[in-house]
Amino acid sequence: MGSPYRGVADALEGAAATRGKLAKIERMAGALAPLSGPELAAAARLLSGSPYAEWEQAVTSVGWATVARAASAVTGWDLETIGASARAIGDLGEAIGLLLPPEASGRSGLEILEVDDRLRALSARRKAAEKAEIIEDLLRRASPREAKYLVKTLSGGLRVGADLATVEEAIAAAFGSPREAVARARRDSGDIGETAAMAREGRLDEIRFRLFHPIGFMLASPIENAEEVAGELSLFAAEDKFDGIRAHAHKSGSRVALFSRTLDDVTAQFPEIALALGAAPGQFLLDGEIVAWKDDRVDSFFRLQRRLGRKAPPADLLAEIPVAFVAYDCLASGETPLFERAWTERRAELERIAAGGGFFLSAVRDAATPAELEDLFRAARERGNEGVMLKRKDSVYLAGKRGRAWRKWKKALATLDVVVTAVEQGNGKRAGMLSDYTFAVRDGDRLVNIGKAYTGLTDEEIRKMGTRFRKITTARYGPVRAVAPEVVLEVAFDTIQKSTRHKSGYALRFPRIVRIREDKLPAEADTVQRVEEIWRGIQGM
Ligand code: AMP
């Protein structure tokens, strides 16, 4: 008898039921501790939400309709009831768990390895009917809780408030391995499963770095002015902050893979970059920016935008908006990972590789005083870039972490005074708080939505606002509360884009709340004409 999948489902349920990170880790560690080998590997992956290792870049690719159809066959309920239940509860997995016949509670359930095997088989099957058959078979033998987490795994969202880092910590706790060693092994192997199995055997240090799987990105902390770093400028190197799409470029022989910040493989969207990098000598992993390129320099993000979301861009678009890769870090060269080396050393390696061509290299500059940094900032803006980045010369590359070793300095464009029209509960730390605000600008005497903001207020402010929003709720649509348009916010944003998503016809990129304008009435909020003016300013019209 193999180990039961019940252990995984129970741990996920336990993690979902507790708010504390430590308690979540404990639940997961408890499920992993008694396992070993392939069962342990599969359980660790399933706890992280997928039967696949990250390096496999695979998804089960099962649509909602396929799952619902299988659930209908197993529960006897029609698709409409299943859909309505899922909407009412807000989760298809939970709804299906509840709709299973009463005898399902007494089932002995599934085994880890068969769940792993069947879920993996899903991506190999093309036809929806074949996929539905596999799911139906699993659901017929699953207990309600197992069904719930099976379906959540299929829908690609466990929503138990745990991520890969939580599972890493659970592995460390279960097998007494140092957390850093677990994180390193997971990063290098691209497989939380293999990491768990090797941790149990005390062999984490045998895991070697492999290219071609997504790696977390190192992120920067913001500064608002040069004075903030006055005392420590000598520790940093400065670079322009390019306005493009962050990407990691993996390359070996003529094989190239580009991964986006969301860890998706975007290689096919940028064939000219793949081709140029593929022709460069050597094997490497670079961190950098995909930018629109024109007349030997970076072009605006607005032009690049037209290339985004095009899986296979047609030839005329490729010709009209060429793109290039500007590299600013080197994370592996040949067989050697460089994450733990200092920035200075990584930079030297990057310059060596850049000599082979295939991409552009960011220019590095020094600023000794805040005044010099301001000059660099102005010059960067004049070159059409967003601002400057500062990188601590002695810092290692912390994949997936935002720290103070990298700083970013960019100017918010302008701010807008907007009116809150709807609110929703947040996620994660802010689950249960009405923290997500949809907001609008004026258009004549109507209000038209232009965006949604989640950040900027303190928990205390959010709580106060929550009480107010509950009082002025005018209607509820599932999780969304429409509110009387009374509250004015000042929001900052990185830029404005045309968008069909919002009624206003525009969308703000990265909106954040600067403050609540208690001093302003909704009638004094900004207008869609003002938005258009700012947008025109950006276009240089
Ligand atoms: P932000 O998206 O404004 O939070 O700023 C961080 C982003 O700036 C990174 O994710 C990169 O996409 C981008 N960026 C542009 N130039 C650089 C650079 N020289 N070094 C690091 N990140 C950069």
Side-chain angles (χ1 to χ4, degrees):
M1 262 287 286
S3 304
Y5 174 65
R6 193 188 328 121
V8 172
D10 287 348
L12 288 170
E13 183 75 13
T18 67
R19 287 187 121 205
K21 180 126 191 273
L22 276 179
K24 290 183 199 286
I25 293 169
E26 216 169 274
R27 298 287 162 86
M28 294 193 164
L32 295 174
L35 305 173
S36 63
E39 285 188 331
L40 171 56
R45 290 187 205 112
L46 290 168
L47 285 176
S48 74
S50 162
Y52 301 103
E54 298 147 77
W55 66 262
E56 293 179 271
Q57 277 286 294
V59 284
T60 46
S61 55
V62 181
W64 195 95
T66 308
V67 178
R69 213 174 312 129
S72 170
V74 175
T75 62
W77 289 101
D78 54 289
L79 288 177
E80 239 155 65
T81 308
I82 291 174
S85 314
R87 273 193 302 280
I89 298 172
D91 184 89
L92 181 60
E94 193 154 353
I96 293 175
L98 290 170
L99 292 174
L100 284 181
E103 67 268 20
S105 312
R107 284 179 189 157
S108 64
L110 300 155
E111 290 177 9
I112 292 175
L113 284 183
E114 72 176 323
V115 168
D116 181 59
D117 176 73
R118 300 284 75 207
L119 292 186
R120 288 173 153 271
L122 281 173
S123 70
R125 302 296 152 85
R126 291 267 164 268
K127 296 204 182 92
E130 289 175 358
K131 290 181 192 265
E133 205 176 302
I134 294 178
I135 301 168
E136 197 180 317
D137 174 58
L138 284 172
L139 290 180
R140 272 194 204 289
R141 292 179 297 129
S143 71
R145 184 173 290 174
E146 290 177 341
K148 171 174 168 182
Y149 287 100
L150 273 175
V151 173
K152 278 171 173 281
T153 306
L154 288 173
S155 336
L158 292 173
R159 289 185 288 274
V160 297
D163 52 12
L164 270 173
T166 316
V167 185
E168 280 173 13
E169 296 211 35
I171 293 170
F175 307 117
S177 326
R179 269 172 50 189
E180 300 70 36
V182 175
R184 184 202 63 78
R186 204 271 297 169
R187 182 199 66 206
D188 286 357
S189 64
D191 184 358
I192 190 88
E194 182 185 352
T195 301
M198 293 295 264
R200 134 137 265 153
E201 293 177 23
R203 294 168 57 203
L204 282 178
D205 54 3
E206 288 175 36
I207 289 185
R208 292 282 161 266
F209 177 73
R210 289 194 288 258
L211 280 170
F212 297 106
H213 65 81
I215 302 265
F217 288 77
M218 179 153 174
L219 302 171
S221 307
I223 59 169
E224 299 294 333
N225 55 57
E227 288 302 331
E228 267 182 60
V229 280
E232 43 181 351
L233 268 175
S234 63
L235 301 175
F236 287 93
E239 286 176 331
D240 282 13
K241 185 174 189 304
F242 307 103
D243 200 3
I245 297 294
R246 181 84 176 270
H248 279 163
H250 298 242
K251 128 89 166 121
S252 172
S254 60
R255 181 176 173 204
V256 173
L258 298 170
F259 289 104
S260 68
R261 238 179 94 168
T262 46
L263 308 187
D264 292 309
D265 186 333
V266 295
T267 323
Q269 291 183 41
F270 307 105
E272 63 268 65
I273 294 179
L275 205 65
L277 285 172
Q283 173 175 324
F284 49 74
L285 167 51
L286 305 181
D287 188 2
E289 203 83 4
I290 295 170
V291 294
W293 194 257
K294 194 180 172 189
D295 302 333
D296 288 327
R297 55 178 279 180
V298 177
D299 200 359
S300 82
F301 183 78
F302 292 92
R303 288 179 42 83
L304 177 64
Q305 230 186 345
R306 298 204 20 229
R307 286 284 301 264
L308 304 183
R310 300 292 294 253
K311 288 241 165 68
D316 52 349
L317 189 60
L318 289 177
E320 189 192 337
I321 305 173
V323 297
F325 189 66
V326 181
Y328 39 73
D329 215 320
C330 177
L331 311 184
S333 175
E335 300 288 322
T336 316
L338 301 175
F339 301 96
E340 274 93 37
R341 308 286 179 84
W343 174 87
T344 326
E345 201 178 327
R346 302 200 307 275
R347 175 75 199 184
E349 191 55 25
L350 175 63
E351 288 176 8
R352 198 188 63 73
I353 294 172
F359 61 92
F360 296 95
L361 185 62
S362 68
V364 174
R365 300 177 176 88
D366 275 322
T369 62
E372 281 181 33
L373 185 59
E374 275 167 28
D375 287 343
L376 289 186
F377 184 88
R378 252 189 307 275
R381 301 283 296 194
E382 273 156 24
R383 282 188 286 270
N385 294 325
E386 262 195 301
V388 292
M389 301 288 300
L390 293 171
K391 313 239 166 119
R392 251 188 93 126
K393 294 176 185 170
D394 60 356
S395 67
V396 299
Y397 190 94
L398 294 174
K401 300 236 162 68
R402 188 183 303 281
R404 290 164 62 82
W406 283 19
R407 310 287 181 89
K408 57 183 180 194
W409 181 18
K410 62 180 174 184
K411 276 225 169 78
L413 259 180
T415 61
L416 282 173
D417 293 332
V418 297
V419 185
V420 180
T421 55
V423 296
E424 229 174 300
Q425 292 199 2
N427 288 310
K429 195 161 67 71
R430 287 179 168 171
M433 298 167 86
L434 289 173
S435 61
D436 300 359
Y437 305 159
T438 300
F439 53 79
V441 288
R442 289 187 298 127
D443 181 16
D445 48 15
R446 336 180 275 163
L447 288 170
V448 285
N449 286 344
I450 187 164
K452 204 168 166 184
Y454 318 86
T455 57
L457 297 183
T458 63
D459 284 358
E460 183 51 37
E461 284 173 311
I462 294 174
R463 251 186 295 275
K464 268 201 200 137
M465 293 305 289
T467 311
R468 181 153 166 205
F469 285 130
R470 281 190 179 87
K471 282 196 196 128
I472 61 173
T473 297
T474 54
R476 297 186 65 158
Y477 309 97
V480 181
R481 288 166 179 261
V483 295
E486 293 178 5
V487 177
V488 179
L489 303 175
E490 179 178 351
V491 290
F493 46 90
D494 285 2
T495 190
I496 294 179
Q497 298 160 354
K498 289 250 185 203
S499 162
T500 51
R501 183 151 32 109
H502 299 297
K503 263 226 176 95
S504 58
Y506 293 93
L508 307 183
R509 190 165 175 235
F510 300 131
R512 45 209 183 265
I513 303 167
V514 180
R515 59 196 160 131
I516 303 163
R517 295 292 308 249
E518 300 289 6
D519 56 327
K520 276 209 168 181
L521 292 171
E524 299 169 283
D526 278 310
T527 60
V528 78
Q529 287 75 24
R530 167 83 184 119
V531 173
E532 186 175 337
E533 260 169 42
I534 301 174
W535 180 79
R536 282 181 185 283
I538 300 167
Q539 310 302 301
M541 284 180 192

